[in-house]
């Protein structure tokens, strides 16, 4: 039974159209993951479905008496509320009996790192407020739970608990998250927002990646076929007066249809070569670092010399000192004791959790140019404008104001600004918060070729498995332990409870490896065929004349059918012949496209 049905959604934000006659529906017990590039309208869609925003056009139909619980990206609370009060379901959402949810609220709050339930919400950080709002959302009785970035500001243990909670959730769920392990484990349907439309895939995230690739391959193959046929049609249309005089109207109409067809819009990609400045022998050396806040010791007598090309992932519960370590390296905090030595050639790029204060009145391109007019990569010199295009900021958006960008787009812009400075040591503090999956994937590819050191704080298990070769684990009481490998290797080495690990981690890796092997086998199979067979060569030499003869025969049949307009028996016979010839013509055209493409590949390989 449909819980929510949205039809003909059209909605704009500033001058940008987010949805263009899009549709969405969901049934009971479906768990839907919303994905898409930042700025495409993911959060706006959730607001519309939750009834918090009205679309410009379209209709939203809800099941009668439906109850919706909604976690916004930036939650708000009533003035003067304390932690416990803010975590309880809102009176407007449900009739609340005194104390009916307090025990569960305290339990969840404790799990999410809260100890003082009487502390005013006004004193808390944005991350703490988001966790309180998450508790409120999951406590509120509902038919549909709508969550906007629920894993942001959760440490690994919290994310794993929430993952298991949502796996066992019995009602409908709609959420936005960029945590790929989390997404793959929880949802049974992916809805992608792409160029104003919603594309639905009833599958896990991993299967979605495969299906989307297939969809794009089909679209590209169809477009190549269209262009190949169109080139041939153009040649035929230009063969002179005698040839044109024999063209039937249907052929001309087909040519015009091919000519006017719109090519598929393919995804832009955040593709770029790494750029960095020279890094000398001395990098960053930590010697017997100790740091405490009040009675809490964050790190005690910690030493490490960062090696060239180190890929360090830093993990631990919220508040353990991960960001403090990053800030000490940057000189924004000082250790209680110990020394930090920074090499003379070190040039750091610091992607902070809060981002820097961005001047919202600046144009996008001017903000990036403050980091650098150009960067020097293996591709040569690349301008700020070109880099912006690679970061999914087309020319028309480059001259818009920073203040008109979405939160995710600002984070992407902030990352580009840092990379334009060509650092040789990157410090990334929670880089996966608010960056879309497309940007994360290409950032990971960028880090593969980055000629320098990468130090990252992250709770994103996939990201750590993808880029880290060593883990620093904050284990309490000032202890920091080193583990070789990524997050999964850390779990194995630390003998953590493997039941908490997403059950598709190994499957993801195995499937990814299998996919790569299959892709390589496919390529090898293609490369072996370096020439046409004798039969294909003969067919290629004669197929154009065969097609011309078929078209001429069809033209004659058209004329003959006119003379038998009143002889329905004969007319039916001729129509059957024509249908068979048109089918043969279509097959010949398909075969011609294949042979043309094969000939082009052979010529390209021979050069």
């Amino acid at each position: 039974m449909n819980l929510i049905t949205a039809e003909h959604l059209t909605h704009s934000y500033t001058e940008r159209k987010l949805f263009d006659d899009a549709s969405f529906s969901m049934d009971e017990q479906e768990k839907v993951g919303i994905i898409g590039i930042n700025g495409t309208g993911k959060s706006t869609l959730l607001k519309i479905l939750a009834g918090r925003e009205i679309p410009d056009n379209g209709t939203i139909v809800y099941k009668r008496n439906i109850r919706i619980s909604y976690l916004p990206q930036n939650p708000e609370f009533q003035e003067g509320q304390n932690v416990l009060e803010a975590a309880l379901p809102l009176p407007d959402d449900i009739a609340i009996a005194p104390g009916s949810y307090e025990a569960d609220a305290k339990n969840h709050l404790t799990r999410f790192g809260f100890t003082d339930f009487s502390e005013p919400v006004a004193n808390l950080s944005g991350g703490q407020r988001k966790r309180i709002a998450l508790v409120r959302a999951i406590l509120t009785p509902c038919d549909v739970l709508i969550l906007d970035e629920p894993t942001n500001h959760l440490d690994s243990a919290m994310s794993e608990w929430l993952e298991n909670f949502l796996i066992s959730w019995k009602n409908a769920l709609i959420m936005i998250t960029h945590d790929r392990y989390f997404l793959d484990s929880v949802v049974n349907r992916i809805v992608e927002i792409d160029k104003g439309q919603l594309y639905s895939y009833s599958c896990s995230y991993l299967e979605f990646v495969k299906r989307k690739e297939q969809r794009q391959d089909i679209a590209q193959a169809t477009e190549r076929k269209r262009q190949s046929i169109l080139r041939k049609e153009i040649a035929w249309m230009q063969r002179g007066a005698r040839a044109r005089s024999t063209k039937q109207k249907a052929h001309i109409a087909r040519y015009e249809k091919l000519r006017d067809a719109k090519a598929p819009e393919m995804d832009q990609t955040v593709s770029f070569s790494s750029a960095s400045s020279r890094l000398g022998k001395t990098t960053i050396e930590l010697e017997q670092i100790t740091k405490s806040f009040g009675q809490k010791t964050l790190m005690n007598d910690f030493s490490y010399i960062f090696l060239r090309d180190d890929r360090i992932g830093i993990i631990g519960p919220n508040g353990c000192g991960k960001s403090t370590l990053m800030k000490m390296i940057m000189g924004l905090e000082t250790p209680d004791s110990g020394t930090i030595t920074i090499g003379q050639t070190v040039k750091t790029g610091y992607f902070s959790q809060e981002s820097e204060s961005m001047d919202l009145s600046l144009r996008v391109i001017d903000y990036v140019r403050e980091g650098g007019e150009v960067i020097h990569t293996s591709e040569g010199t690349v301008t700020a404008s070109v880099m912006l295009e690679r970061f999914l900021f087309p020319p028309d958006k480059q001259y818009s104001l920073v203040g008109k960008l979405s939160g995710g787009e600002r984070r992407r812009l902030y990352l580009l600004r840092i990379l334009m400075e060509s650092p040789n040591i990157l410090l990334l503090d929670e880089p996966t918060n608010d960056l879309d999956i497309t940007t994360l994937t290409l950032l990971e590819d960028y880090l593969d070729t980055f000629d320098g050191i990468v130090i990252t704080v992250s709770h994103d298990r996939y990201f750590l498995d993808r880029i880290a070769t060593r883990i620093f684990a904050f284990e309490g009481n000032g202890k920091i332990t080193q583990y070789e490998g990524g997050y999964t290797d850390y779990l194995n080495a630390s003998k953590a409870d493997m039941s908490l690990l997403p059950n598709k981690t190994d499957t993801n890796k195995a499937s990814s490896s299998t996919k790569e092997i299959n892709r390589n086998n496919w390529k090898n199979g293609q490369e072996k065929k370096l020439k046409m067979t004798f039969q294909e060569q003969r067919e290629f030499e004669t197929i154009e004349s065969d097609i011309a003869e078929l078209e001429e025969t069809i033209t004659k049949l058209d004329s003959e059918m006119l003379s038998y307009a009143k002889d329905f028996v004969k007319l039916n016979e001729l129509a059957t012949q024509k249908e068979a010839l048109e089918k043969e013509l279509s097959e010949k055209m398909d075969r011609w496209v294949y042979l043309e493409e094969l000939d082009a590949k052979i010529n390209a390989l021979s050069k």
Side-chain angles (χ1 to χ4, degrees):
M1 180 178 181
N2 274 7
L3 295 177
I4 303 175
T5 302
E7 294 182 332
H8 307 297
L9 283 184
T10 300
H11 195 71
S12 298
Y13 175 74
T14 62
E15 303 89 12
R16 186 187 345 166
K17 181 172 281 189
L18 299 178
F19 309 119
D20 186 8
D21 196 28
S23 297
F24 173 88
S25 66
M26 76 174 304
D27 296 330
E28 295 174 331
Q29 300 180 349
E30 273 197 307
K31 295 178 179 178
V32 179
I34 307 292
I35 66 173
I37 296 170
N38 286 334
T40 55
K42 299 188 298 295
S43 293
T44 301
L45 177 63
L46 293 198
K47 290 176 185 176
I48 290 173
L49 297 178
R52 305 298 175 93
E53 191 163 327
I54 300 174
D56 297 338
N57 288 294
T59 58
I60 314 289
V61 179
Y62 298 96
K63 174 189 171 185
R64 187 177 180 183
N65 298 323
I66 192 172
R67 299 173 301 171
I68 294 176
S69 179
Y70 170 55
L71 171 70
Q73 194 170 56
N74 299 300
E76 298 179 354
F77 300 94
Q78 296 176 11
E79 188 174 349
Q81 282 188 318
N82 62 30
V83 169
L84 180 58
E85 291 168 342
L88 296 174
L90 296 173
D92 293 342
D93 293 333
I94 186 172
I96 300 177
S100 55
Y101 293 95
E102 285 193 10
D104 287 337
K106 289 178 179 178
N107 183 34
H108 292 333
L109 287 168
T110 301
R111 192 183 300 277
F112 286 162
F114 295 95
T115 55
D116 184 0
F117 303 143
S118 63
E119 183 175 7
V121 173
N123 297 346
L124 303 180
S125 67
Q128 290 172 314
R129 293 183 179 206
K130 185 68 177 277
R131 295 201 296 275
I132 292 173
L134 176 58
V135 172
R136 182 173 67 190
I138 63 179
L139 282 178
T140 302
C142 62
D143 303 297
V144 183
L145 179 59
I146 300 180
L147 305 176
D148 194 342
E149 292 287 5
T151 58
N152 279 4
H153 311 292
L154 299 185
D155 62 33
S156 299
M158 296 173 188
S159 289
E160 288 162 1
W161 177 85
L162 180 63
E163 181 177 303
N164 289 324
F165 176 85
L166 293 177
I167 287 172
S168 61
W169 178 256
K170 301 301 182 184
N171 294 335
L173 169 70
I174 310 173
M175 71 172 178
I176 298 169
T177 181
H178 304 314
D179 185 324
R180 286 154 286 184
Y181 281 168
F182 190 94
L183 193 64
D184 198 45
S185 295
V186 173
V187 308
N188 53 31
R189 180 176 158 213
I190 297 290
V191 172
E192 182 189 24
I193 304 178
D194 186 20
K195 302 174 185 67
Q197 296 300 313
L198 305 183
Y199 296 91
S200 180
Y201 302 80
S202 296
C203 60
S204 66
Y205 173 74
L206 177 62
E207 183 62 26
F208 152 76
V209 173
K210 296 177 183 178
R211 293 188 188 181
K212 182 178 179 180
E213 185 176 19
Q214 291 170 355
R215 175 169 69 86
Q216 292 184 330
D217 286 347
I218 291 170
Q220 288 178 316
T222 302
E223 175 60 13
R224 286 196 302 270
K225 178 178 176 180
R226 184 181 77 89
Q227 291 294 341
S228 296
I229 296 174
L230 187 57
R231 284 194 298 272
K232 195 65 179 178
E233 293 283 359
I234 290 172
W236 268 321
M237 295 297 291
Q238 294 175 340
R239 279 183 178 173
R242 181 182 176 189
R244 283 198 301 271
S245 67
T246 65
K247 299 295 181 189
Q248 76 278 27
K249 292 181 179 179
H251 193 153
I252 295 174
R254 184 170 69 227
Y255 157 72
E256 291 174 343
K257 184 177 180 180
L258 285 167
R259 180 197 63 195
D260 298 336
K262 186 178 179 181
E265 292 185 63
M266 305 308 294
D267 285 347
Q268 291 176 283
T269 58
V270 190
S271 174
F272 49 91
S273 299
S274 62
S276 61
S277 51
R278 187 185 69 84
L279 184 60
K281 290 184 178 180
T282 303
T283 59
I284 299 174
E285 300 179 0
L286 310 179
E287 186 175 356
Q288 297 179 315
I289 298 298
T290 297
K291 182 69 175 180
S292 300
F293 281 109
Q295 299 298 314
K296 185 175 184 179
T297 301
L298 301 181
M299 57 203 78
N300 185 30
D301 199 26
F302 178 66
S303 298
Y304 186 79
I305 297 174
F306 287 91
L307 306 176
R308 190 181 189 88
D309 298 325
D310 257 349
R311 298 291 189 269
I312 306 296
I314 303 176
I315 66 173
N318 288 332
C320 68
K322 305 183 299 295
S323 295
T324 300
L325 177 58
M326 302 279 269
K327 289 177 180 178
M328 287 195 295
I329 293 173
M330 288 299 300
L332 303 175
E333 295 272 3
T334 56
D336 298 337
S337 62
T339 59
I340 298 176
T341 303
I342 307 294
Q344 291 185 346
T345 59
V346 166
K347 187 176 182 182
T348 56
Y350 180 39
F351 186 75
S352 69
Q353 193 171 152
E354 299 83 12
S355 300
E356 67 170 22
S357 178
M358 303 176 77
D359 185 345
L360 303 184
S361 66
L362 278 177
R363 296 182 303 177
V364 168
I365 193 165
D366 293 332
Y367 175 76
V368 171
R369 282 173 175 166
E370 287 183 350
E373 290 279 351
V374 299
I375 61 171
H376 303 285
T377 73
S378 59
E379 301 173 358
T381 300
V382 182
T383 66
S385 180
V386 171
M387 287 297 287
L388 276 165
E389 285 195 62
R390 295 178 180 182
F391 262 68
L392 310 181
F393 292 104
D396 61 329
K397 188 175 285 189
Q398 293 179 17
Y399 289 89
S400 62
L401 299 180
V402 173
K404 292 187 176 181
L405 301 180
S406 70
E409 287 175 312
R410 292 181 195 177
R411 289 284 281 178
R412 192 194 319 149
L413 186 66
Y414 174 49
L415 175 62
L416 175 57
R417 160 74 176 268
I418 291 168
L419 297 180
M420 287 298 295
E421 297 172 359
S422 299
N424 49 35
I425 296 182
L426 277 172
L427 290 91
L428 309 174
D429 194 352
E430 293 290 2
T432 62
N433 282 359
D434 300 319
L435 287 183
D436 57 75
I437 292 174
T438 300
T439 306
L440 286 175
T441 300
L442 275 298
L443 173 60
E444 290 156 1
D445 291 342
Y446 174 88
L447 296 178
D448 286 341
T449 61
F450 179 70
D451 188 18
I453 296 169
V454 179
I455 308 167
T456 182
V457 171
S458 181
H459 301 306
D460 188 318
R461 298 156 293 174
Y462 184 99
F463 185 76
L464 290 172
D465 272 344
R466 178 68 175 78
I467 66 103
T469 58
R470 182 169 295 140
I471 296 291
F472 288 175
F474 280 68
E475 298 183 336
N477 299 320
K479 183 182 179 182
I480 303 175
T481 305
Q482 297 178 36
Y483 297 88
E484 296 304 307
Y487 182 81
T488 302
D489 299 306
Y490 149 75
L491 278 182
N492 292 332
S494 63
K495 299 180 181 179
D497 181 0
M498 294 304 295
S499 66
L500 294 178
L501 184 66
N503 58 12
K504 299 188 181 179
T505 299
D506 295 335
T507 304
N508 282 356
K509 290 190 171 183
S511 298
S512 179
S513 300
T514 303
K515 181 179 179 181
E516 189 61 33
I517 290 170
N518 291 339
R519 186 178 294 164
N520 289 336
N521 289 341
W522 182 85
K523 289 180 179 177
N524 292 335
Q526 292 294 309
E527 289 169 359
K528 287 178 182 177
K529 189 168 186 177
L530 300 178
K531 62 180 182 180
M532 290 186 184
T533 65
F534 176 77
Q535 182 178 351
E536 285 173 335
Q537 186 62 45
R538 290 289 303 273
E539 185 180 9
F540 187 51
E541 291 170 357
T542 61
I543 195 166
E544 290 186 23
S545 60
D546 293 343
I547 289 172
E549 288 177 10
L550 281 169
E551 291 198 322
E552 185 175 351
T553 302
I554 291 171
T555 301
K556 290 179 179 178
L557 274 175
D558 284 334
S559 300
E560 192 174 356
M561 289 170 71
L562 290 174
S563 62
Y564 288 97
K566 296 182 179 180
D567 187 342
F568 296 107
V569 175
K570 183 66 174 179
L571 190 62
N572 185 60
E573 179 185 331
L574 294 174
T576 302
Q577 291 179 31
K578 180 183 176 183
E579 183 179 352
L581 288 171
E582 286 179 335
K583 181 180 179 181
E584 184 180 353
L585 175 61
S586 177
E587 291 171 351
K588 284 282 186 183
M589 292 293 285
D590 288 342
R591 183 65 175 167
W592 175 83
V593 170
Y594 164 75
L595 293 172
E596 277 282 310
E597 291 183 347
L598 178 58
D599 183 60
K601 289 178 184 177
I602 292 170
N603 292 334
L605 289 171
S606 65
K607 291 181 180 178

